Amino acid sequence: MAFPSAPYDDDDFRKDGLLASERAGDNAPALSISEISAQLKRTVEDRFGFVRVRGELSGVKRAASGHLYMALKDEGARLDGVMWRGNAQRLGFLPEDGVEVIATGKLTTYPGRSNYQIVVDRMEIAGEGALLALLAKTKARLEAEGLFDRARKRALPFLPRVIGVVTSPTGAVIRDILHRLSDRFPSHVVVWPVLVQGQGAAAQVAAAVRGFSDLAPGGPVPRPDVVIVARGGGSIEDLWSFNEEEVVRAIAASTIPVISAVGHETDTTLADFAADLRAPTPTAAAELVVPVRAELAAQVHDLQARRGRALARLLAHARERLEVRSQRLPTAQALLSPQSQRLDDLSDRLRRALVHRTEIAAGVLARHGGALRPALLTQRLGRERERLAAQRLRPEALLQRIEHARGRVEALDRLRRSLDPEAPLQRGYVLVTDRDGHVVKDRATAAARVALTLKFADGPLDVTTGQGPVPTVSAAPPRPAARPRGATDSVQPKLL
């Protein structure tokens, strides 16, 4: 391939179509991606500023910010969608995959991904069929978790002291319940007012059921013995709050028995399956929760009468049995005659024994009566007095014994002083010991020791047996002791 010797200029490239160029009067200027995306966004939003689309939910996801992301699809197309947090919080149902809905909003584009989507302002279930399909799906899921098992059902108290009611405070339902309770058995009723339809109704009903369970016994607000969740009749949309999963789980987790009285007898909600008992109507719930007071009083009266008749019949039968058995018993005379005869025999023997014992005692008294004369007793009393006087303590005898004991103590003290090994030291003698404290008694033993200790009356003195100088006393020199009379400095120590 040959190239020209001279380089190309811009006109040559424009002629060949390689460089883009804009000519005067050109009505198709080049746009940037952002510009074309912005124009497309304005066009779509102006043309489709308000649309209603019908489709099946898919990929439903709630972000941490509260925004709801989803996709709407049918057999041939798919449309992404987003619902901002404020609108998502006002939804009357829980969006799930597979639910057919009608979404109201506007179409817009998302330049970051080069696609379009719908910003949903309102979402509704597409028809009663779709609503029933969602209801069946939710019921199957909760039933699989065991929330509707019969084993979870609890018996209602026979006569509750406090009855809790979760319903609207202004509707006819609460008036019907209170009127029916007052007719049957007046009771203490605590009403927890809630919305029973529309946005936020499910959350309020669930919070009320949980609130009754959280009440402490004996608190300022009495804790109910049973709770009635009630609402009047209506369409499936009107009753939908009682099909919400939040309400069903609150009823199933309640620590107080719950009666569901939602709608009429033909109406059925998921709250009915989770409750411990379902009442066809709110008025029927009041009839189920308490008995009729008059009937109860009549029943008590009848039971009292039956008890009286039973006791009378029992006493009559017991009286008959007693009469029959009493006829078979022996008479009192027959039972006591042997014992009476024995008593007479023992009484006669006792009388004879007492007479005989009295005669023996009289003989003994006669024999010993001479020794009990007053003269003999007076003589013996004088001897005993003399003996008692001889046994009294005399001071002379005590002083004599004390002097005798003092003499013995003084003799023992003199013996102690004479046997004291250090007593001769006061007379000029010396006690000689070795380093181990053993007493040296002879010259041979002293010569065998290298060092000796001479103990004087005024203190010890360490000496050696060698030719070296005698070491001095390690302690301070003691004061010179008083010399014995006639002693001189030339007196040599003596060995003990």
Side-chain angles (χ1 to χ4, degrees), residues 7 27 45 52 67 86 124 189 221 233 242 248-249 271 313 344 364 369 371 407 490:
N27 60 356
E45 290 180 352
R52 297 185 73 219
H67 305 323
E124 302 167 315
V189 179
V221 178
F242 297 90
V248 176
R249 292 190 180 278
R313 187 166 52 252
D344 294 339
V364 174
S490 61

Side-chain angles (χ1 to χ4, degrees), residues 165-181 191 196 228-233 242 261-264 281-286:
V165 180
V166 179
T167 189
S168 173
T170 59
V173 171
I174 186 61
R175 293 195 299 271
D176 293 342
I177 292 177
L178 295 177
H179 178 70
R180 198 58 177 162
L181 289 176
V191 180
V196 293
I228 300 176
V229 178
R231 189 208 184 281
F242 297 90
V262 179
H264 299 301
T281 61
T283 303

Side-chain angles (χ1 to χ4, degrees), residues 424-454:
L425 301 182
Q426 301 297 334
R427 300 195 300 271
Y429 290 91
V430 176
L431 180 62
V432 182
T433 60
D434 57 10
R435 290 183 176 178
D436 298 331
H438 299 119
V439 178
V440 178
K441 300 180 180 179
D442 50 31
R443 181 178 180 279
T445 303
R449 299 292 188 268
V450 178
L452 298 173
T453 299
L454 304 182

Side-chain angles (χ1 to χ4, degrees), residues 38 78 117 135 173 176 196 233 240 255 335 340 367 398 404 423 437-438 469 485:
R78 170 190 173 99
Q117 62 184 8
L135 178 62
V173 171
D176 293 342
V196 293
W240 188 255
T255 58
L335 290 174
S340 177
R367 288 194 301 270
L398 291 176
H404 179 69
H438 299 119
R485 185 176 298 175

Side-chain angles (χ1 to χ4, degrees), residues 173 176 230-235 239 260-269 272 278-284:
V173 171
D176 293 342
R231 189 208 184 281
S235 64
L239 305 180
S260 176
V262 179
H264 299 301
E265 187 171 358
T266 57
D267 298 325
T268 302
T269 63
D272 299 334
R278 177 186 180 270
T281 61
T283 303

Side-chain angles (χ1 to χ4, degrees), residues 323-371:
E323 292 176 355
V324 172
R325 293 180 181 179
S326 62
Q327 293 175 1
R328 298 179 182 178
L329 293 175
T331 61
Q333 183 178 2
L335 290 174
L336 296 178
S337 57
Q339 306 300 330
S340 177
Q341 184 177 0
R342 185 182 179 192
L343 177 61
D344 294 339
D345 182 43
L346 292 176
S347 299
D348 184 61
R349 291 174 59 185
L350 177 61
R351 181 182 57 78
R352 292 196 301 270
L354 289 176
V355 171
H356 179 67
R357 181 66 178 171
T358 302
E359 293 174 353
I360 294 175
V364 174
L365 180 60
R367 288 194 301 270
H368 297 283

